[in-house]
Amino acid sequence: QSVLTQPPSASGTPGQRVTISCSGSSSNIGRNYVYWYRQLPGTAPKLLIYRNNLRPSEVPDRFSGSKSGTSASLAISGLRSEDEAEYYCASWDDSLIGPYVFGSGTKVTVL
Amino acid sequence: ERQLVESGGGLVQPGRSLRLSCVVSGFSFDDLAMHWVRQVPGKGLEWVSGITWNSGTIGYAESVQGRFSISRDNAKRSVYLQMNSLRTEDTAFYYCAIDRSGRFDWLDSWGQGTLVTVSS
């Protein structure tokens, strides 16, 4: 099983706000940054959030990340149909040379 | 155009070897750290290995430690993953990804992946 724990699924209607949690430990999230990735079916993952709450320039500000202690969360506001995808959190574990651990993934469904 | 293109995947028998390659274009390759991440079809992501911009730091997942080896050739803008003693559980899509920090930080852009199937 994954080192980081995410809920298997989340859902919302268009325009709603959805939050995904990611729980880790003192050896990963507790001491290192958290990252978030989105994966559409049949495609490669894409970076959404890095260093806890920073967004690459091409990622809309509807996506935001936060971290507290050994947990983190991703919020998607103004949910859109194209947000339906698998979302993964990640963090470096124990040391900064690895391993890089991923969460189990959360499937977001837009109702 | 910015892209990462993996190659070298295919069908291989257990115990055999395979070498994956990833060619990077549109980025300043010398400044990048590079990573390999794999994904069993329909399952989650697993980081396999990473190498910093100058090959000064290399890391491996415990599941591949001692069997896989990562390397890079900055002149060819390429990163490689030598996979030895392959096991059926190594079957997965293998993605290469860039890390613009040059060290081990975030996986910025990813290739489309190459499928490795280990089966007799």
Side-chain angles (χ1 to χ4, degrees):
Chain A
Q1 58 270 27
S2 302
V3 174
L4 305 181
T5 302
Q6 298 178 235
S9 63
S11 62
T13 57
Q16 276 191 329
R17 175 185 171 95
V18 169
T19 301
I20 301 168
S21 62
C22 175
S23 177
S25 68
S26 58
S27 69
N28 41 66
I29 293 178
R31 71 173 67 174
N32 294 314
Y33 292 123
V34 178
Y35 310 83
W36 290 91
Y37 299 87
R38 176 170 77 175
Q39 186 175 32
L40 298 171
T43 68
K46 173 186 174 181
L47 178 69
L48 283 180
I49 298 289
Y50 65 103
R51 292 188 176 180
N52 301 334
N53 56 15
L54 301 179
R55 280 179 291 105
S57 58
E58 67 273 16
V59 174
D61 59 6
R62 300 187 298 109
F63 295 89
S64 62
S66 64
K67 169 187 156 179
S68 178
T70 60
S71 295
S73 63
L74 173 73
I76 309 172
S77 59
L79 196 64
R80 299 181 177 182
S81 58
E82 57 261 37
D83 296 331
E84 189 160 291
E86 194 82 23
Y87 292 79
Y88 295 92
C89 61
S91 181
W92 291 98
D93 190 84
D94 194 35
S95 76
L96 289 178
I97 62 168
Y100 192 62
V101 290
F102 288 93
S104 45
T106 298
K107 175 62 186 299
V108 169
T109 301
V110 181
L111 302 171
Chain B
E1 182 185 3
R2 293 179 164 184
Q3 62 177 355
L4 296 78
V5 179
E6 302 97 335
S7 61
L11 175 63
V12 62
Q13 293 179 327
R16 303 297 291 265
S17 298
L18 208 58
R19 189 195 195 206
L20 304 183
S21 300
C22 173
V23 179
V24 178
S25 57
F27 297 97
S28 181
F29 186 78
D30 290 3
D31 298 331
L32 305 174
M34 297 296 300
H35 301 270
W36 288 97
V37 176
R38 67 186 181 184
Q39 184 174 37
V40 174
K43 302 297 184 182
L45 301 169
E46 181 189 17
W47 178 81
V48 173
S49 182
I51 184 169
T52 52
W53 67 278
N54 62 352
S55 304
T57 299
I58 289 173
Y60 297 100
E62 189 175 338
S63 58
V64 306
Q65 182 79 46
R67 299 188 298 123
F68 289 12
S69 176
I70 191 171
S71 62
R72 63 189 293 158
D73 185 335
N74 286 0
K76 295 183 178 180
R77 308 176 61 81
S78 296
V79 63
Y80 308 99
L81 187 67
Q82 178 66 43
M83 305 185 295
N84 299 329
S85 303
L86 282 162
R87 305 168 180 169
T88 54
E89 55 264 36
D90 295 319
T91 293
F93 280 99
Y94 284 73
Y95 297 99
C96 68
I98 69 167
D99 180 340
R100 293 198 224 194
S101 73
R103 298 170 283 111
F104 284 7
D105 203 331
W106 65 92
L107 277 59
D108 196 323
S109 296
W110 301 54
Q112 286 307 301
T114 185
L115 179 61
V116 172
T117 303
V118 184
S119 175
S120 54

